Amino acid sequence: MASSGRRPEHTAPPEMFYNESEAIKYTSNSRMIAIQAQMSGRALELLALPDADDYPRLILDLGCGSGLSGQVVEEMGHMWIGLDISEAMLNVCRSRELQSGDTLLADLGEGLPLRAGLFDGAISISCIQWLCNADKSTHSPVQRLYRFFSTLYSCLARNTRAVFQFYPENTSQIELITAQAMKAGFTGGLVVDYPNSTKAKKMFLVLFTGGSANQLPKGLSDGNDSTVDYNANRQTYRSSKPSKAPKKSRQWVLDKKERHRRQGKNVRPDSKYTARKRSSRF
């Protein structure tokens, strides 16, 4: 945040606010790294991607900044392409030499210059609210949001998702963003984690590119054990559970089913037969 306490988007346009010194400071702050990684991990969970064991998916990171979200995408076994308007942030990202990502300098409000159906999903952390501002006399937030969402819809494969973590300024801003997303063809809605907490509360806009059967995932609550943490020293994103169960074991199957439930997928109820191997003879 700016020293005056104002919201960053009211301080300066993003390409000016995130200058060279701010980009370096942002990327070297252990607290910001931890928060960014936690929100990126949650956004990927809400994206409900198939397991990376099948094959890596290509994720679009909107407002990718210095690549903190892209690092989490890599650690989850996927590839990514990031777009950002700040050249200083992208320079820091490139200097970090992440392995499976690439970046492009772009103003999201001008639309996405990307091939139709290219991506298996999109995430965005703390970015979308910037498009609600008119930083130039030629800017119309309504038109810029619609241009962004309509081109995003085009470059996503069908039956995929886009997940936006954002900090809305007020209810009107939420309505402005969601209205333009729905106008562009998306369905979906808001998922709010820890709604009763002042500090932990996080808001995600989860959008679907198709399929009326899509169920909006549930937000996390204080009693939910699916929180995530981030060890800044080890630079690894991980689940709150200490270790993974052996693959194909009963616990592995139960964990996977619970993860799919949190992602809003239809999952059969657990029973004593869950993960039990079938006999070779009938």
Side-chain angles (χ1 to χ4, degrees):
M1 297 291 288
S3 59
S4 63
R6 298 171 62 192
R7 294 171 65 96
E9 62 267 27
H10 294 329
T11 303
E15 65 271 28
M16 296 177 62
F17 180 82
Y18 289 108
N19 53 32
E20 184 175 349
S21 61
E22 187 69 24
I24 295 173
K25 181 173 67 175
Y26 190 96
T27 313
S28 59
N29 186 310
S30 59
R31 178 175 175 272
M32 292 306 302
I33 292 173
I35 294 173
Q36 186 86 1
Q38 185 179 43
M39 293 189 298
S40 301
R42 176 60 171 152
L44 284 167
E45 182 180 58
L46 292 170
L47 210 56
L49 295 169
D51 289 339
D53 292 345
D54 298 335
Y55 62 88
R57 265 59 181 187
L58 180 60
I59 308 303
L60 179 60
D61 187 355
L62 299 157
C64 65
S66 57
L68 297 179
S69 299
Q71 180 177 343
V72 177
V73 173
E74 289 190 6
E75 290 165 357
M76 298 299 285
H78 301 293
M79 302 177 293
W80 60 281
I81 293 177
L83 274 63
D84 203 282
I85 196 172
S86 169
E87 190 167 5
M89 279 290 217
L90 292 180
N91 286 339
V92 173
C93 179
R94 291 162 185 154
S95 70
R96 299 177 65 225
E97 299 182 347
L98 298 175
Q99 299 300 311
S100 61
D102 203 353
T103 58
L104 295 171
L105 181 67
D107 177 358
L108 302 184
E110 295 297 321
L112 309 181
L114 300 166
R115 196 179 74 201
L118 179 62
F119 294 92
D120 300 304
I123 63 170
S124 179
I125 308 300
S126 309
C127 172
I128 190 66
Q129 67 267 12
W130 288 84
L131 291 181
C132 296
N133 284 356
D135 294 320
K136 300 179 181 178
S137 60
T138 56
H139 283 184
S140 165
V142 171
Q143 293 177 3
R144 283 168 59 78
L145 281 164
Y146 177 71
R147 188 179 300 117
F148 164 66
F149 280 120
S150 59
T151 52
L152 172 62
Y153 189 93
S154 175
C155 73
L156 290 173
R158 294 292 73 87
N159 297 316
T160 57
R161 300 184 185 187
V163 177
F164 297 82
Q165 181 278 324
F166 69 123
Y167 296 105
E169 188 171 2
N170 48 45
T171 303
S172 298
Q173 195 172 84
I174 297 174
E175 293 174 350
L176 171 64
I177 293 172
T178 55
Q180 297 311 307
M182 303 308 163
K183 183 180 177 182
F186 287 103
T187 58
L190 292 176
V191 173
V192 183
D193 286 351
Y194 309 109
N196 299 319
S197 172
T198 303
K199 293 184 177 180
K201 180 179 179 179
K202 292 293 183 293
M203 188 172 293
F204 297 84
L205 177 62
V206 180
L207 302 176
F208 309 121
T209 60
S212 58
N214 280 310
Q215 181 180 353
L216 200 63
K218 294 181 179 180
L220 302 181
S221 63
D222 291 335
N224 197 307
D225 65 354
S226 60
T227 56
V228 294
D229 66 25
Y230 186 79
N231 185 323
N233 295 323
R234 291 181 59 196
Q235 295 289 298
T236 56
Y237 163 83
R238 68 180 188 273
S239 167
S240 59
K241 296 177 181 177
S243 61
K244 290 184 178 180
K247 193 170 183 179
K248 303 300 183 180
S249 67
R250 176 177 169 80
Q251 188 58 52
W252 182 87
V253 173
L254 292 173
D255 291 345
K256 184 174 181 179
K257 290 175 71 175
E258 181 58 31
R259 185 169 68 252
H260 285 179
R261 289 190 186 101
R262 292 198 303 267
Q263 294 169 347
K265 296 180 179 179
N266 292 324
V267 181
R268 291 184 178 181
D270 298 336
S271 74
K272 64 180 181 179
Y273 299 107
T274 299
R276 180 178 293 182
K277 293 183 179 180
R278 292 186 178 185
S279 173
S280 59
R281 299 178 61 184
F282 292 90

